[in-house]
Amino acid sequence: MALTSAGIGSGLDVASIVQNLMTTEQGPLTNVTQQKTSTQAKISAYGSLQSALSSFQTTLGNLSNISKFNALTVQSSDASTVNATATGSATAASHSLQVDQLAQSHKLALAPKTSLADIVGMGTLTIDFGSYDSTGNTFTAGNKAALTINITTGNNTLSGVRDAINAANAGVSASIVNDGTGYRLVLSSKDSGAGNSLRISASDADGTNTDNSGLSQLAYDPTALAGSGKNLSQVQEAKNALLSIDGISISKPSNVITDALEGVTLTLSKVSASPQTLTIGRDTSTVEANVASFVKAYNDLNQTLRNLTKYDEASKTGGALLGDSTARGLAFQLKSVLTQSVGSTGALTSLYQIGVTFQKDGTLALDSSKLKSGMESNFSEIAGLFAATGKATDSQISVAGNSSSTLAGNYAVNVTQLATRGSLAGSDAAGLTITAGVNDAIALNIDGVDYNLTLTAGSYASSSALAAELQNRISAAGSAASVNVNAGMLSVTSVNYGSSSSILLGSANGNANLFGNSAVSSAGLDVAGSINGVAATGKGQNLIGATGDANGLILKVDGGALGARGTVNFTLGYAYQLRQLADNYLRSDGLLTARTEGLSASVTRLTRQQETLQARLAVIEQRYRDQFTALDTLISSMQSTSSYLSQQISMLQSNS
């Protein structure tokens, strides 16, 4: 009889025997599986560390900005009259401020019409911006380019004129107001201030440009007589804001004033009945919050590191990165940065001076009272403890930037050449008569960009008026170059400094009339000099360290004398140094990436080993089963033969 299950014929427990043998054979596979599990746990742990370090890096990015520690507050005794904000360049002080007049934009209105579809007229409107002097009854054009609008059969209604002016988008807004007696077209200068008064002239299709009919209804010359070129009514005069700060009278075109007090933006809302007090003070609460953020960010990262590397004596287990050299190295470097002093020559050189100290458990703690004391005595130096900062002994030299290679230090500065701007100087007095198609075209190349300009034809009262027209055209074309006049000769100067700055004449019919036949073009020069005795690279006004400790240090030289210009003390604050450390670990070729990629390669290798061992074990198990099944079959056969022989022997014995 054939056996279908091992052990049935002989009683041999084949399954148990094979299982026990395979347990022994499983040893290498178990080791590989444990290695793979441990490696995967490390990859997961590195992911947690990378996430924690990335959060730390983000916090440090904010704290590395010096403006975070130079915050100022501004308090107004009457915020409904004047409100203010301040940047780090402002000076803590108290000021007396009186608002005598708010700035206004110029508003003009047309006489009422019965319908929006009423025909106004056809022709051309020209809108100028400038200043009106009521005492001398004169209008002086400003720097804005004149606006020309064509009114045709397609837009000659009241609403059509409104839409045509708004479509020009050139400093004037038009609206229609129903005042109860009819529809009135209202024109408003978009910019406030006495220098933005409107003057509107009409070239009327009916042949008369100043009467109160047709398109000339919209004419407004403030120097003319009402009804004879002064046909719109003035509903709001153009005015400057008038105020005084500490008794000094100030006139500004806008109610938002950014250049009266350095680093302070004033917003005027109403005239003040009496002087207001404006108090600019240090924003200590923001600085305290920033320092607290720094402490918390470090402690969060430190806790993650401790969790991943600790050993639990009670459970006899350790974190996934226990004994890991990369994690240990990061923890050591973090603490090393925080326990050394920054290379400052000021009063603050260490965190403990502002109340930030290490505790026994490795965390940082903040003593708020000590921080407040530090802010009271050395507020301006706290930024240097955290950000990369520099201070020059020369007021016309400032630190504009640095590279990751720049080291802290005290650097001597020597300037051998100051930066200049590219310019074009006319050789003869400018011709004041501009004729369309004859001498109205000007071609300039400003800092490598071509500008083809067309001047408004006409006879100009002076070289200054012609310069203002050229300035308008240059500004409207998108360039910030400035136009100046000297003895009737015009010049154009780039806003940029350095060798890439230049003003060149192109080919156009008006160039000679404006600048003469021998205009001189001068390219800009880069600043030149050395930092700490090593020749630096000049780019515009920036002197850039090229080698050594000052490599990448950028110093802006605003002017001054040639020769030795004092020193610059450059320091790398704690937040800046720690951010660099975090960057080194987190970048694409950093330690964490390299370690994770190495572990991932190990997982791949161990997976292949698992597959190989599993296939080998399957073969071994099948061989064991085949061998013991054969043994079971043999034993069963022998038992059957034994039983048969026993029966035969018994029969022989019974027959004898």
Side-chain angles (χ1 to χ4, degrees):
M1 179 180 66
L3 296 174
T4 59
S5 179
I8 291 178
S10 66
L12 188 65
D13 190 354
V14 174
S16 179
I17 293 171
V18 172
Q19 182 179 358
N20 290 332
L21 289 171
M22 289 308 298
T23 298
T24 302
E25 296 286 353
Q26 289 274 356
L29 178 60
T30 300
N31 291 335
V32 170
T33 301
Q34 289 174 345
Q35 291 179 42
K36 180 179 177 181
T37 300
S38 175
T39 304
Q40 289 173 324
K42 285 187 176 181
I43 292 175
S44 178
Y46 273 120
S48 298
L49 179 56
Q50 189 165 7
S51 177
L53 188 57
S54 180
S55 297
F56 184 56
Q57 180 190 45
T58 299
T59 301
L60 294 174
N62 295 329
L63 297 172
S64 297
N65 188 341
I66 191 172
S67 65
K68 297 293 183 180
F69 295 92
N70 286 341
L72 296 168
T73 60
V74 185
Q75 291 184 335
S76 171
S77 59
D78 183 2
S80 65
T81 297
V82 58
N83 202 356
T85 58
T87 64
S89 60
T91 302
S94 180
H95 301 279
S96 174
L97 187 147
Q98 172 82 36
V99 180
D100 298 312
Q101 175 178 286
L102 294 179
Q104 293 183 166
S105 59
H106 200 197
K107 293 182 183 292
L108 304 172
L110 181 64
K113 299 291 183 182
T114 58
S115 168
L116 295 177
D118 279 7
I119 301 298
V120 177
M122 292 189 296
T124 302
L125 292 174
T126 300
I127 303 176
D128 290 305
F129 304 86
S131 303
Y132 173 65
D133 179 11
S134 59
T135 302
N137 194 31
T138 59
F139 182 88
T140 304
N143 291 329
K144 285 185 179 179
L147 169 65
T148 300
I149 303 168
N150 294 319
I151 306 300
T152 65
T153 55
N155 58 4
N156 63 350
T157 63
L158 189 65
S159 60
V161 171
R162 174 200 61 194
D163 295 342
I165 292 174
N166 289 333
N169 192 28
V172 178
S173 63
S175 57
I176 295 176
V177 177
N178 187 337
D179 66 356
T181 64
Y183 295 92
R184 305 188 67 181
L185 179 68
V186 178
L187 304 181
S188 303
S189 173
K190 290 184 178 180
D191 294 324
S192 60
N196 289 303
S197 289
L198 301 175
R199 180 176 65 181
I200 304 173
S201 58
S203 178
D204 200 331
D206 66 10
T208 305
N209 298 330
T210 58
D211 65 354
N212 209 0
S213 65
L215 192 62
S216 55
Q217 297 174 79
L218 297 177
Y220 181 83
D221 182 350
T223 66
L225 296 175
S228 299
K230 187 179 180 180
N231 302 329
L232 294 174
S233 59
Q234 178 175 273
V235 294
Q236 182 171 285
E237 181 184 356
K239 291 182 179 180
N240 278 351
L242 301 179
L243 66 155
S244 63
I245 298 177
D246 297 333
I248 300 173
S249 297
I250 297 171
S251 176
K252 296 292 181 181
S254 171
N255 291 318
V256 179
I257 302 169
T258 60
D259 56 356
L261 290 170
E262 184 181 4
V264 178
T265 297
L266 303 173
T267 302
L268 311 183
S269 301
K270 69 178 183 181
V271 172
S272 54
S274 59
Q276 308 300 311
T277 301
L278 199 68
T279 304
I280 305 169
R282 299 183 178 104
D283 189 357
T284 56
S285 60
T286 297
V287 172
E288 188 171 357
N290 288 334
V291 176
S293 295
F294 174 80
V295 170
K296 182 180 183 303
Y298 174 80
N299 287 341
D300 288 346
L301 175 60
N302 182 63
Q303 186 60 52
T304 298
L305 277 167
R306 287 173 63 86
N307 290 340
L308 294 173
T309 59
K310 69 181 180 180
Y311 178 75
D312 187 350
E313 185 65 35
S315 63
K316 305 298 182 184
T317 59
L321 297 181
L322 176 64
D324 182 82
S325 60
T326 301
R328 287 202 316 270
L330 174 59
F332 173 80
Q333 290 179 73
L334 288 170
K335 192 166 185 178
S336 177
V337 169
L338 291 172
T339 52
Q340 64 182 353
S341 62
V342 296
S344 173
T345 58
L348 297 181
T349 59
S350 301
L351 285 174
Y352 79 87
Q353 291 176 288
I354 59 169
V356 179
T357 55
F358 272 107
Q359 306 302 291
K360 291 181 179 179
D361 61 357
T363 62
L364 287 177
L366 173 62
D367 184 339
S368 296
S369 61
K370 194 168 184 178
L371 173 59
K372 290 177 181 178
S373 177
M375 287 190 291
E376 290 174 359
S377 57
N378 296 290
F379 184 86
S380 61
E381 293 190 20
I382 290 179
L385 285 177
F386 293 90
T389 61
K391 187 175 182 180
T393 56
D394 189 312
S395 62
Q396 290 183 289
I397 296 178
S398 59
V399 175
N402 62 282
S403 73
S404 59
S405 301
T406 311
L407 301 182
N410 207 41
Y411 298 103
V413 182
N414 188 284
V415 177
T416 57
Q417 175 177 280
L418 293 175
T420 61
R421 295 182 288 181
S423 64
L424 172 72
S427 59
D428 301 292
L432 300 182
T433 300
I434 303 298
T435 303
V438 177
N439 63 352
D440 61 339
I442 305 297
L444 295 173
N445 181 286
I446 303 175
D447 297 342
V449 178
D450 289 325
Y451 294 89
N452 295 302
L453 314 171
T454 302
L455 303 179
T456 301
S459 295
Y460 289 82
S462 64
S463 297
S464 296
L466 186 56
E469 167 65 9
L470 178 60
Q471 182 71 74
N472 289 340
R473 298 307 171 190
I474 289 176
S475 299
S479 172
S482 60
V483 181
N484 298 287
V485 181
N486 182 20
M489 294 182 288
L490 272 59
S491 63
V492 183
T493 305
S494 171
V495 71
N496 297 313
Y497 286 85
S499 56
S500 62
S501 168
S502 63
I503 309 288
L504 303 173
L505 274 177
S507 177
N509 61 33
N511 285 355
N513 177 68
L514 212 60
F515 298 103
N517 293 315
S518 303
V520 177
S521 179
S522 301
L525 298 174
D526 293 313
V527 66
S530 63
I531 301 176
N532 234 31
V534 179
T537 300
K539 186 174 183 181
Q541 291 180 291
N542 292 332
L543 199 60
I544 308 169
T547 59
D549 292 352
N551 184 26
L553 179 62
I554 304 174
L555 303 180
K556 184 181 179 184
V557 182
D558 288 320
L562 300 181
R565 297 289 296 274
T567 59
V568 171
N569 179 243
F570 181 70
T571 61
L572 300 174
Y574 293 107
Y576 181 86
Q577 292 184 58
L578 290 171
R579 186 184 182 190
Q580 280 192 307
L581 175 61
D583 289 346
N584 289 336
Y585 274 84
L586 291 172
R587 65 181 187 231
S588 59
D589 60 344
L591 291 174
L592 291 184
T593 300
R595 193 76 177 98
T596 301
E597 289 177 349
L599 291 171
S600 296
S602 295
V603 169
T604 301
R605 175 179 55 79
L606 291 169
T607 299
R608 288 197 297 266
Q609 288 184 18
Q610 273 185 315
E611 293 170 351
T612 300
L613 289 171
Q614 286 169 344
R616 176 176 173 275
L617 289 172
V619 172
I620 292 173
E621 182 176 3
Q622 187 59 51
R623 185 174 74 246
Y624 279 150
R625 290 190 180 279
D626 290 345
Q627 289 175 343
F628 282 100
T629 297
L631 176 61
D632 180 54
T633 302
L634 176 60
I635 292 174
S636 177
S637 175
M638 292 176 65
Q639 287 175 336
S640 297
T641 301
S642 174
S643 177
Y644 172 75
L645 291 174
S646 296
Q647 291 175 0
Q648 293 298 314
I649 291 172
S650 296
M651 290 177 62
L652 289 173
Q653 288 176 344
S654 62
N655 292 329
S656 58

